[in-house]
Structure formats: C-alpha cells, structure tokens
Amino acid sequence: MSDVVQVLTDELGAAAIVSAERLRERATSYWNAAPTEAKCLVRPGSTAELASIMRICHAHGQTVVAQGGKTGIVEGAVSTAADVIVSLERMNELESVDTSDGVAVIQAGAVLQTVQEHVAGEGFLFPVDFGARGSCTIGGAVATNAGGINVLRYGMMRNVVLGLEAVLADGTVISSMNQMLKNNTGYDLKQLFIGSEGTLGIVTRVVVRLFPMPVSRDTVMFACESFAAVTRQLGLLKVGLAGTLSAFEVMWESFYSSVTAAGGPPAPLERGYPYYVIAEAEGADPGADAERFQRLLEEGMESGDIVDAVLPKSEAERRSVWNVREEFDGALPAYLYDVSLPIRNMETYVARLGERLLAWREDASCEVFGHIADGNLHIFVKPYDDGGHHETSDGIVYGCLDGLDGSISAEHGIGIDKRPWLGLSRSADELNLMRELKRLLDPQNLLNPGKVIN
Ligand SMILES: Cc1cc2nc3c(=O)[nH]c(=O)nc-3n(C[C@H](O)[C@H](O)[C@H](O)COP(=O)(O)OP(=O)(O)OC[C@H]3O[C@@H](n4cnc5c(N)ncnc54)[C@H](O)[C@@H]3O)c2cc1C
C-alpha cells in the first residue's frame, strides 16, 4: 500500500476506501469497459471529510480525479494508476426543498433521476434532463455544465445553479451556497466550477432552481422533406406555443434508420424521410394546450412542411417515441461528436462533412441528430475500426466547422478527448487566462491533471 493510501485509510477508516485491486473489477466508464486504474478510490461522507482528504493529498503531492456516474463522454473522469479517485457516492442526499422559493439543496453525489423524482413528489420540475439521468450525478452534471433535451426552455446546468460548495486542491472549502436569483456581490464564483470538469475544485453541494411541474405535456414526432421545413416548424412552434416549447430534437434519416434497425427501438414513423423531429410542449391547461398544439401541427401539414406525424396518446407511447432519440446503443460503435453552430449554417456543415468523409474513405459516413434549437448537433462517424483513425475523424469533424461560427464542444466538455482541439474554439488569450486560473487555484496541478488544458 502506498504512503498516501495508508494515511487516507488511517484518517477515514478502511470502509471509506476501495483498493486498487477491487477497482480493477469496475469498468473505466459507461463508454470504456477497460478496468479502472488508480491507487485507490475514496468515498467521503461529508464536506469536512473531503477537505481532510484533499489536505492529505496536497501534502503528498497526490493527484486526484473526481468521479460521479462515469457517464461523461470526453474521458474527463478517467484516472491512471498514479491517481486517487474521489467519489461522492455517499454524499447523495437531497438536503432540502424550499417550496416557497422553488429551491433545492442537493449533495453532489445524488443521481439526477432521483432528484427529478424527489422534487416531482413536491410538485416541482428539475428540468435538466438527458439519457444518462439514471446514472449521472448532480456533481458530474455541474462539472460538465450538462445540457440535454430541455435547454431550449430552461437552459443548461449553469442556468439552474444558484449556488454551490466546492473543495479546492489544498482542502479549502469555498461555500457559495446562494439561494437567491439576485445576488450581485462581486465575482460570481460558482461559475468558475460549473463546466470546469473537476480541474478547479470538487463540487460537494449544490443549490438549484426548481420550476412549477407542468400540468400538460404534448409530444409529437413528425417528418419533413427539407431542413428549411424543419426550421420553419421550429419558428412556428416557438411563437405559436408562446414559450412553452420545451424540446425540439431533430434526427437526420441516417441516424433514424440506424437506431431503428433490427434490435433497436421500433420506428414510430416509416423510414426514408430526410428529417424526423420530436417536439414537446409543457403547459398549465391540458385541454387548451393540446388543442393549440394540434392546430399548429395541422397548419404544418396543410403547408406541406410536415409530411407524416405520430402523436403519442399515453406515457408508454411517448416513451417509445423518445427511445428512438435516446436508446442509440444499437447504432454504436461509432465516434460520437458534439458540436455547436448557428442553425443557418447546419445544412452547409452536414453536407460539407459528408463530402469530406467520403473524400477520406469511401466507406465513411455520418449519422446526425441533435438539439438544433440550441445550435447543437451530435454526430456518429463510422466506421469505428476499434478507434484506429480517431484523430483523422476528429480533424474532419472539427475542420468542417471552419468559417461557420461553430464550437468543438456544445455540451459534453473537453476532458482529454477534445483537449488537442480546444485552440480551434478559444483564442490564445483565453487559453492563457484559463491556465492562470488553474495555476491560482491548483498550483501543484493535482486536480484532474491533463484534462481540459495542459
Ligand atoms: C446515454 C448518455 C446520454 C447523454 N446525453 C447527454 C446530453 O444530452 N447532454 C449532455 O450535456 N450530456 C450528456 N451526456 C454526458 C453527460 O456529460 C454526463 O452524462 C453527465 O453530465 C456527467 O455526470 P457524471 O456524474 O456521470 O460525471 P462523470 O462522467 O463521472 O464525470 C464527468 C466530469 O465531471 C467531473 N466530476 C464528476 N463529479 C464531480 C464533482 N462532484 N466535482 C467536480 N468534478 C466532478 C469528472 O472529473 C469529469 O471531468 C450523456 C451521457 C450518456 C451516457
């Protein structure tokens, strides 16, 4: 046992430590079945315990990687045999729900879906939502500034966090547990930690905004023959639904066919249309909301923009529509990308990407889907070839953004995976300021070293 593991065991007791040997029985992440490598995993039961873990690691020059549900897509939570892992799985309580202010205080190890279900029991909606909801943690979602399917209406994690508590590399506890919407008292320190992927501090507790639980929910899957028709429908639904449109997910035919092929979820609409959209609106008046929703869809059909549609009539039918978007494992393996760019440039981008992939090799293809109202596209590039040509594929996907005002990461973050490409989306001055911040908060480079920036 290394010195630092012995000191951590003496301080916290053996029950709080998972040994290197036992860690190798666990997968590296949701995406990577290789064994987890680390000196040990430590499971603090409180902020004070985490602070003492960090003080010990600081004194030993020990690197630390924070892990949540290990669902992150850019290898941000991956550790090496030289690291100590900190997991907040024991700090998973929903401490309080203030129903007058619509605010909850949550420990960072709580699973997203558990939080959603708990606050729903109090009549509230926690709107950040995406396919990994059953495994990812609030701390991981804060650290990656996760987005998902409701960003259009409620924003990303950054928009719903009011305050947080974080432990720095040297064990200092920064408690910035603001509970108000308004608090202009100098620099907004919580924003430093949101989206910093565990490189500036370990988030332990979070104050989040809650929203009234919608009474009505109307969902549709429809098909369009052109991207112009898709964007027209987005505009019409945004205006016609007076701000209650909460999701507008677009799937290109290539993605839809791939996911609904044998073994995947059943196809709610026949294959072969160029574009499929899942739109969802949430409101407060079931009868009037459904009538308005259907009237807008009828207008879409009369204009010819919508060429086929299915309206789920039960939660089970709604789930089967959403499964096409979320249960994409059957379409893997592939390189998964997450880029953002203005809607006006998306068609150009996808056409350019298809051409450059074919110019590279004739069996290369892309499957595209995404939260287009947020300017966010996800792309599967195939063939995967066991990861053999990752860099070439990255270069093509990111290179095609050139001149289109895009970003190499919309919502997944940078981690290790996108670090070499960060300079395509950030200026030299911005990167220097990021490095200065890292040096200030973590001068020994102990927190999640090698992630986001060098
Ligand atoms: C099926 C699927 C669908 C997904 N869909 C979406 C989507 O639509 N939108 C989207 O934005 N993302 C999506 N994701 C990825 C998303 O980023 C993660 O699911 C989630 O935000 C990470 O949470 P986690 O607890 O798993 O964190 P991990 O993967 O364990 O960690 C992610 C990063 O956060 C850091 N970290 C974890 N906990 C803490 C903490 N307490 N303090 C500081 N740093 C910490 C880690 O070091 C790492 O850098 C999806 C993932 C999957 C598997």
Side-chain angles (χ1 to χ4, degrees), residues 24-36:
R24 276 186 218 104
E25 293 162 13
R26 301 185 183 185
T28 294
S29 73
Y30 178 90
W31 307 93
N32 181 351
T36 298

Side-chain angles (χ1 to χ4, degrees), residues 417-445:
D417 199 34
K418 297 195 179 190
R419 199 189 62 190
W421 308 97
L422 187 55
L424 293 180
S425 290
R426 295 299 201 141
S427 68
D429 288 339
E430 285 178 302
L431 291 173
N432 282 338
L433 182 56
M434 287 188 202
R435 286 194 194 96
E436 288 302 318
L437 285 169
K438 172 73 175 165
R439 256 182 232 122
L440 179 72
L441 293 178
D442 180 16
Q444 290 191 59
N445 195 22

Side-chain angles (χ1 to χ4, degrees), residues 31 66 68-72 76 130 132 136-137 140 143-144 146-148 197-198 203 411 448:
W31 307 93
K70 300 199 288 185
T71 63
F130 47 89
C136 75
T137 61
T144 57
E197 300 181 52
V203 178
E411 59 179 8
N448 219 0

Side-chain angles (χ1 to χ4, degrees), residues 384-398:
Y384 184 67
D385 281 354
D386 286 334
H389 47 258
H390 197 171
E391 206 178 321
T392 311
S393 172
D394 285 3
I396 294 171
V397 170
Y398 301 138

